[in-house]
Amino acid sequence: MAKEGARAVLCARTRDALGQAVDEIKLAGGEAAWLALDLRTPEAPAQLAAFALEKFRKIDIVVNNAGATKRGEFENLTEEDWADGFALKFFGAVRLTRAAWPHLKATSGSVVNISGIGGRTPGSQFTIGGSVNAAMLSFTKAMAEAGIRDGVQVNAICPGTVRTDRFQIRLANFAKEHSIDAASAESEWVRHEEITRVGEPEEIAALVAFVVSTEGRFLQGALIDIDGGATKTI
């Protein structure tokens, strides 16, 4: 987003990673600021919106991209696991969108919710994540309808397997479970999942940048899969 000229406000719980990301943006000639918050807490999203307004005077784009949910057998998932899964990815997005909505109305802005393919293709090991992602997709459709009235663009992107730190952990476990070496684990993963390849974070970012650009403005309420063919259903 910064490469496309956006003034970016980054939020996460890890101060060092935030500082590093903002430094990279600034070194490349962009503008950015960061705020370390736990978006699971009810008041944090409003604090983030206020911080963005203080720094840059307006809000044009909100990208809800926080949250990872616990995997595992349903009977082993606790009440706390379920509450934590919804607290960050779903309620964090709801609260940040609510806090930013009046300002997005003023700028004819955009919201992009990063959901995931599990929202439409759930699995027994992903009951929390699939449920949270499905809720995100429903929230996207509902807010897209409100956005027609209010002049705010709202869409969702559903990534499949992307080369993140979390994926590397899953890949290592996959290699161990299948008694294969790390070097061949990724190609076996691709074959097992019936996808073209593993995606890159930059590809998700590029899609977000397109959706909120002038060229992507006709998109409204779209639930966009970017998953290497993982989603087989219509």
Side-chain angles (χ1 to χ4, degrees):
M1 295 300 297
K3 288 178 180 178
E4 295 293 329
R7 295 179 294 177
V9 175
L10 284 66
C11 180
R13 287 170 282 184
T14 310
R15 291 174 176 270
D16 291 345
L18 285 168
Q20 180 180 349
V22 168
D23 287 346
E24 290 174 1
I25 290 172
K26 290 180 176 179
L27 283 172
E31 292 185 70
W34 62 268
L35 182 64
L37 289 172
D38 186 345
L39 291 173
R40 294 174 298 182
T41 60
E43 66 276 6
Q47 293 173 357
L48 176 57
F51 177 78
L53 288 168
E54 177 186 347
K55 288 293 182 181
F56 297 126
R57 304 301 177 192
K58 63 176 183 172
I59 298 174
D60 296 292
I61 302 163
V62 171
V63 180
N64 288 307
N65 186 38
T69 56
K70 188 174 181 179
R71 305 179 69 91
E73 290 291 340
F74 172 71
E75 292 181 293
N76 297 330
L77 298 171
T78 66
E79 185 74 16
E80 291 72 23
D81 293 332
W82 280 90
D84 186 71
F86 273 91
L88 180 54
K89 188 163 189 177
F90 182 69
F91 285 114
V94 169
R95 291 166 180 148
L96 183 55
T97 302
R98 182 172 58 205
W101 196 260
H103 311 288
L104 294 167
K105 288 166 64 176
T107 60
S108 298
S110 300
V111 177
V112 179
N113 295 318
I114 306 300
S115 179
I117 60 172
R120 291 201 279 204
T121 310
S124 63
Q125 292 291 312
F126 199 52
T127 51
I128 297 177
S131 300
V132 171
N133 285 336
M136 285 282 282
L137 298 181
S138 181
F139 177 64
T140 298
K141 283 292 190 182
M143 293 310 299
E145 183 178 355
I148 294 172
R149 178 196 64 215
D150 292 342
V152 180
Q153 182 193 39
V154 185
N155 294 288
I157 291 173
C158 302
T161 302
V162 179
R163 197 183 310 282
T164 61
D165 291 343
R166 186 165 51 138
F167 168 66
Q168 296 301 338
I169 294 171
R170 291 189 65 195
L171 189 63
N173 291 334
F174 178 83
K176 184 177 180 180
E177 290 167 5
H178 291 79
S179 301
I180 56 178
D181 59 81
S184 58
E186 183 170 319
S187 59
E188 180 60 23
W189 174 285
V190 167
R191 188 195 66 79
H192 182 268
E193 295 295 312
E194 296 183 335
I195 56 178
T196 57
R197 60 177 174 83
V198 175
E200 303 296 337
E202 293 81 2
E203 292 175 301
I204 313 304
L207 181 55
V208 172
F210 170 76
V211 169
V212 302
S213 72
T214 302
E215 291 81 1
R217 192 68 193 195
F218 194 46
L219 291 164
Q220 181 76 353
L223 313 177
I224 308 169
D225 296 329
I226 178 168
D227 62 3
T231 300
K232 312 301 183 186
T233 54
I234 296 173

